[in-house]
Amino acid sequence: MNPQAVHVRAGERVYRVLVGTGLLAGLGEMLLPVVGKSARKILIVLDDNLPELCVQACRSSVEAAGFDVTLATFSASESNKRLAAVERLLERTAMSRLDRNDVIVALGGGITGDVAGLVAAMYKRGVRVIQCPTTLLAMVDASVGGKTGVNLLVDGALLKNYSGAFHQPELVVASMDTLDSLPQRQFRAGLAECIKHAMISADWGDGDLWEWTEARLDSILDREPETLTELVARNVAVKARLVEADERETLASGGRSLLNLGHTFAHAIETLPGVFPDGDAGRTSLLHGEAVALGLIAASEAAVFAKFADRSILDRVRSVVSRAGLPTTVRGLPPAKEILTRMAQDKKAIAGTMRLILPVELGRSRVVESPPIDAVLAGIDAIDRR
């Protein structure tokens, strides 16, 4: 299957997102026209949990294209997504003697891409980065748009992505076969970002993405390759239009900030200790995508409570989230006051003012400054299973 190409315009630059199957085996040939003859060395920053076959396909292809390859493994977790990990990788990059013409390749999920992208932004004040996402969440969201970042630990609270930089990739290669070994829970977590994109897509060039996603959810869950390719390509195209309109998220009335739908709730709960999906006997911590799914339900309830949206939106969002195998409620939440405090500390808040993205109809959402506290509390209550 020939890859689909989605073009992302970021300022004066345009780069491609290639979506297809078996692409890592041809990565070296794809790099040559992108990075040019001046690049000699490639540092591959990779998730240490990746299957060996995936790593070798990538490495062999790049070496066959004539590049000198070094591998740098990284333990991808929210607790390790810290400046200390960036420093270690910067030191590894320097030991590999990369110069400013050389390239860093990020091979892994969203955390790996965020960290490797920040390393590329910082090393010698900026070297080129290629994103090769291997999770659904990273393919449709984290690898596209140039946001890189790590978490900060302040007064015992993990603050998501509080330190980072905008550093656009030169190329994104999303190979569907890398999803074959992805655990089912991780795969389903990535669907939360797809549902989010469907909830904002009507104003960004894809008016029927919600209906298409809802209708083909069973094929998506079966990981049917052609359906997955279309899912990823359409989601990337929506994000690409938002990035083109608002690369650095400066539009107050919408633009790229719409991609934060569900995330203010999600960031407030996903790093809390003792919070776990309802029905999870093992009481495992929330994955980012699971927290986003809960955030989408909370945002929908808040929108209904504040009379921005009809209750039918909440019903359909909750139904799709449930069908996707994502949690619709969570256990172990602290008092709502604590969650409100964490939401007010979200990095998207301005001058201490909370900003929420709330749906107004299926496919359309809006920015709401200083949302009614009762509506926010209603959103929290909608996902709280005590």
Side-chain angles (χ1 to χ4, degrees):
M1 184 191 307
N2 292 326
Q4 293 191 37
V6 179
H7 292 82
V8 182
R9 181 177 297 278
E12 296 181 354
R13 292 185 52 239
V14 178
Y15 60 90
R16 294 187 303 162
V17 180
L18 300 178
V19 185
T21 301
L23 301 187
L24 291 184
L27 180 62
E29 293 181 3
M30 296 175 192
L31 288 181
L32 286 170
V34 174
V35 303
K37 296 181 179 179
S38 60
R40 298 176 300 111
K41 296 182 178 182
I42 302 287
L43 177 75
I44 302 176
V45 178
L46 59 107
D47 183 339
D48 61 7
N49 283 318
L50 282 178
E52 186 63 24
L53 286 176
C54 175
V55 177
Q56 285 305 315
C58 182
R59 179 175 191 166
S60 298
S61 173
V62 175
E63 287 180 335
F67 296 101
D68 180 8
V69 177
T70 300
L71 300 182
T73 59
F74 166 71
S75 181
S77 66
E78 289 293 347
S79 59
N80 198 37
K81 189 181 177 183
R82 304 281 302 281
L83 287 169
V86 172
E87 183 176 16
R88 288 193 295 271
L89 287 169
L90 284 168
E91 291 169 352
R92 185 74 177 90
T93 308
M95 290 171 60
S96 302
R97 299 190 177 182
L98 265 71
D99 64 33
R100 294 189 70 181
N101 292 319
D102 294 327
V103 181
I104 291 175
V105 171
L107 182 65
I111 292 175
T112 302
D114 277 0
V115 171
L118 185 56
V119 170
M122 295 174 68
Y123 182 72
K124 294 191 174 182
R125 298 189 177 92
V127 297
R128 293 171 292 185
V129 65
I130 308 295
Q131 293 282 353
C132 296
T134 61
T135 67
L136 181 59
L137 189 150
M139 288 178 182
V140 301
D141 188 50
S143 65
V144 179
K147 281 188 177 181
T148 73
V150 293
N151 305 325
L152 297 181
L153 187 64
V154 178
D155 294 331
L158 194 67
L159 304 179
K160 290 272 295 180
N161 300 325
Y162 252 60
S163 183
F166 284 93
H167 192 62
Q168 297 288 351
E170 300 294 311
L171 175 72
V172 180
V173 179
S175 190
M176 297 302 101
D177 49 295
T178 63
L179 300 177
D180 292 345
S181 61
L182 193 66
Q184 186 75 333
R185 187 179 176 192
Q186 292 275 358
F187 180 82
R188 291 175 183 270
L191 283 175
E193 296 288 356
C194 300
I195 297 169
K196 176 202 73 178
H197 286 143
M199 292 174 69
I200 64 176
S201 61
D203 290 324
W204 300 95
D206 198 338
D208 72 339
L209 183 57
W210 173 271
E211 301 289 346
W212 182 90
T213 303
E214 196 175 37
R216 287 165 177 77
L217 192 54
D218 290 342
S219 295
I220 293 168
L221 290 168
D222 288 339
R223 308 195 197 192
E224 199 281 317
E226 290 187 5
T227 304
L228 282 184
T229 298
E230 184 173 356
L231 174 75
V232 172
R234 289 178 71 165
N235 275 262
V236 168
V238 169
K239 184 162 187 180
R241 295 182 188 106
L242 283 153
V243 171
E244 180 174 348
D246 184 21
E247 181 188 359
R248 293 182 176 261
E249 200 170 319
T250 56
L251 294 179
S253 60
R256 191 165 179 167
S257 63
L258 293 172
L259 293 166
N260 296 307
L261 174 62
H263 282 61
T264 303
F265 289 100
H267 288 166
I269 67 174
E270 68 177 295
T271 59
L272 287 169
V275 175
F276 58 95
D278 186 32
D280 181 359
R283 299 193 172 195
T284 53
S285 299
L286 287 170
L287 300 176
H288 174 67
E290 292 172 338
V292 169
L294 292 162
L296 296 176
I297 292 171
S300 299
E301 176 62 57
V304 171
F305 188 95
K307 302 190 185 308
F308 293 131
D310 185 84
R311 182 157 294 275
S312 62
I313 289 181
L314 173 62
D315 294 339
R316 289 183 71 178
V317 169
R318 192 184 289 275
S319 173
V320 167
V321 167
S322 178
R323 285 180 56 207
L326 289 159
T328 58
T329 54
V330 68
R331 289 188 182 271
L333 285 181
K337 183 178 179 180
E338 181 177 335
I339 299 172
L340 282 173
T341 299
R342 293 174 68 92
M343 292 175 70
Q345 293 173 342
D346 187 83
K347 65 183 184 298
K348 300 299 187 299
I350 297 176
T353 299
M354 189 188 303
R355 302 169 77 232
L356 285 184
I357 313 303
L358 299 180
V360 292
E361 58 183 274
L362 285 174
R364 289 186 168 88
S365 299
R366 57 172 283 194
V367 178
V368 178
E369 303 274 358
S370 299
I373 295 302
D374 286 349
V376 180
L377 291 172
I380 295 170
D381 187 60
I383 61 172
D384 190 0
R385 179 65 65 86
R386 294 189 182 276

